[in-house]
Amino acid sequence: MIFKALAFPLKSIILLGEKIKEEADRVLFDSKTIEQQLVRLQMMYELGEISEDIYEQQEEELLLRYQVAKMKEREVGR
């Protein structure tokens, strides 16, 4: 009985953590959002707001996230 009483808050915390991770993954790997970020990054570079090094670094990161997002979309579509 005591174990159940102590385990309930732990299970709730674990469930909350899983929900937070799901939401973070949804936002982080949303292909439409990533496309918008790529366009914004390109504009910032063209306007001289960021250096070429920063542009290339951030573009690479966004493209990797985009690949993962597309793989996740294909998995869900199956």
Side-chain angles (χ1 to χ4, degrees), residues 7-67:
F8 179 73
L10 182 59
K11 287 181 183 180
S12 297
I13 291 171
I14 291 170
L15 182 60
L16 178 62
E18 290 172 350
K19 292 294 182 187
I20 290 171
K21 183 191 178 309
E22 287 173 12
E23 182 64 17
D25 283 348
R26 188 187 66 75
V27 171
L28 190 62
F29 297 110
D30 178 61
S31 61
K32 299 290 185 215
T33 300
I34 297 169
E35 289 170 2
Q36 292 171 350
Q37 291 172 337
L38 282 165
V39 169
R40 182 172 170 260
L41 181 66
Q42 178 72 32
M43 289 174 55
M44 290 173 65
Y45 174 67
E46 289 177 2
L47 293 172
E49 294 177 7
I50 58 172
S51 69
E52 186 174 355
D53 290 339
I54 291 173
Y55 170 77
E56 290 175 354
Q57 178 186 8
Q58 290 183 3
E59 181 189 41
E60 183 179 349
E61 178 186 317
L62 287 169
L63 290 174
L64 289 172
R65 282 180 35 210
Y66 189 77
Q67 288 177 333

